[in-house]
Amino acid sequence: GDSGEFLGIRGSFRDITDKKEADIQLHQQNEYLRALHETTLGLIGRLDLHSLLSAIITRAAALMGTEHGFFYLLNQDKSAMEMQVKLGVYENLTHIALHRGEGLAGYVWEQAKACSISDYSQWEGRILDLHRDMIKASIGMPLMSSGEVVGVIGLSYTESSVFFDDSKRDLLQQFAELASLALGNANLYEAAQKELTERTKAEESLRKFSYAVEQSPVSIVITDLQGTIEYANPHFTRLTGYKEHELLGRNSRLLKSGFTTQDEYKCLWETILAGGEWSGEFQNRKKNGDLYWERAH
């Protein structure tokens, strides 16, 4: 007042609800972009399957503001979903392979679409386990490949006051689509590594077989169906006197001595071209003209 005494308070207020909501949405979008970034890196850098699955569920949990989640993956014979990674309360629970319709992951697998539950402990499709009663709002999101469910991301809250609203479901849906790409990439890499390992083993086996053929104490020759020589081992070249380059591409008739009947040759070719095995004896001619007898199979 005029004398300096306190008369009251004059205030000016402005409704900032929209700004606060915008800030929350901006924070969520930033978290989402960070999730996209890390998952994209997974497409390039996380080719180890277990490492990628751990990264996906950890980032998805952070995106939804929870510490509780799991990752189920379809097994090789596509008969059940098997737990691969677990976070928070799920680390202390016993997990079994789930078939279609069993539990949250099995239900998402069967329906091939997301499933959001307000209270898992009251959900009729829950796995009956008292230890799971602490789980409240939950969501299961399918990971797809070629139109089929190959995995399920599951996230949960243990607080009764928190839920998965439409904005969270939309964010998680977009995240799951990108995670599906990352998973597909990792599976391709794993399959390529397996194929490479098998090919290496096959090449090693072939190499050993090649050593055995090369060092065989008997003559070994391979021809095409017209008798053109495609391979001859060292014993064959030592026996006949021909160098390898002198044999390859030439017909095996160059060994003929003229003392083996045409009927015998005819029987040989008719037998092996019919898929049978032939055994017999030849009198052949070496490069220097010497004759030799050969028992052949």
Side-chain angles (χ1 to χ4, degrees):
D2 294 339
S3 303
E5 71 274 24
F6 178 72
L7 299 179
I9 298 174
R10 175 183 173 184
S12 176
F13 302 93
R14 182 165 58 91
D15 187 347
I16 60 170
T17 302
D18 291 343
K19 181 179 183 302
K20 295 295 289 185
E21 290 181 350
D23 288 344
I24 293 173
Q25 291 179 357
L26 181 60
H27 174 73
Q28 290 178 334
Q29 287 295 329
N30 285 338
E31 284 296 307
Y32 174 60
L33 290 174
R34 189 177 295 112
L36 290 184
H37 174 67
E38 291 200 3
T39 308
T40 302
L41 290 180
L43 286 169
I44 304 171
R46 294 184 187 273
L47 294 175
D48 172 70
L49 185 58
H50 188 270
S51 172
L52 177 61
L53 298 183
S54 298
I56 288 174
I57 192 62
T58 300
R59 176 45 60 185
L63 181 63
M64 294 292 106
T66 182
E67 298 176 350
H68 315 294
F70 60 79
F71 201 125
Y72 272 89
L73 203 60
L74 194 61
N75 61 14
Q76 287 189 343
D77 59 9
K78 300 183 178 181
S79 62
M81 283 280 176
E82 297 181 354
M83 176 70 79
Q84 300 296 324
V85 183
K86 44 191 180 292
L87 298 176
V89 296
Y90 292 99
E91 292 182 302
N92 301 316
L93 300 176
T94 300
H95 301 284
I96 60 173
L98 299 177
H99 297 91
R100 287 181 180 272
E102 294 181 342
L104 180 56
Y107 182 82
V108 172
W109 178 22
E110 182 179 58
Q111 299 297 316
K113 63 181 181 180
C115 175
S116 180
I117 304 166
S118 59
D119 188 345
Y120 182 86
S121 65
Q122 302 299 316
W123 183 50
E124 61 181 12
R126 70 188 185 281
I127 296 174
L128 298 179
D129 179 3
L130 293 177
H131 298 292
R132 285 176 163 79
D133 285 349
M134 69 181 72
I135 303 172
K136 303 305 178 184
S138 301
I139 190 169
M141 191 66 63
L143 268 66
M144 311 294 292
S145 177
S146 301
E148 297 183 353
V149 179
V150 295
V152 175
I153 296 175
L155 298 167
S156 298
Y157 297 115
T158 55
E159 305 88 356
S160 301
S161 58
V162 190
F163 302 94
F164 291 96
D165 57 22
D166 291 342
S167 62
K168 288 181 179 179
R169 287 195 292 269
D170 290 343
L171 285 177
L172 194 55
Q173 176 65 47
Q174 296 176 61
F175 179 83
E177 291 174 0
L178 190 55
S180 295
L181 294 176
L183 179 60
N185 190 67
N187 283 332
L188 287 174
Y189 176 77
E190 192 174 68
Q193 290 297 100
K194 182 179 180 181
E195 181 182 351
L196 180 60
T197 299
E198 292 175 351
R199 184 182 302 171
T200 300
K201 289 181 180 178
E203 290 176 350
E204 180 61 23
S205 178
L206 183 60
R207 189 177 299 110
K208 290 179 179 178
F209 177 73
S210 176
Y211 290 155
V213 171
E214 289 285 307
Q215 299 172 33
S216 173
V218 298
S219 298
I220 297 176
V221 62
I222 299 175
T223 77
D224 65 12
L225 299 182
Q226 285 71 45
T228 302
I229 297 174
E230 297 179 341
Y231 170 82
N233 74 339
H235 188 276
F236 185 90
T237 59
R238 289 194 297 270
L239 175 65
T240 63
Y242 288 99
K243 300 295 184 182
E244 185 179 17
H245 70 273
E246 295 175 317
L247 292 169
L248 298 185
R250 299 186 66 181
N251 196 281
S252 57
R253 70 172 65 94
L254 67 88
L255 299 173
K256 286 184 177 181
S257 64
F259 295 101
T260 300
T261 67
Q262 194 62 33
D263 287 342
E264 193 73 11
Y265 288 121
K266 181 180 180 182
C267 176
L268 180 157
W269 282 103
E270 286 179 349
T271 301
I272 60 177
L273 289 177
E277 295 183 1
W278 180 92
S279 295
E281 293 183 352
F282 293 122
Q283 188 174 34
N284 282 341
R285 187 184 303 275
K286 299 181 181 180
K287 180 181 178 181
N288 63 8
D290 292 345
L291 301 180
Y292 68 97
W293 281 99
E294 178 177 81
R295 177 173 293 278
H297 183 75

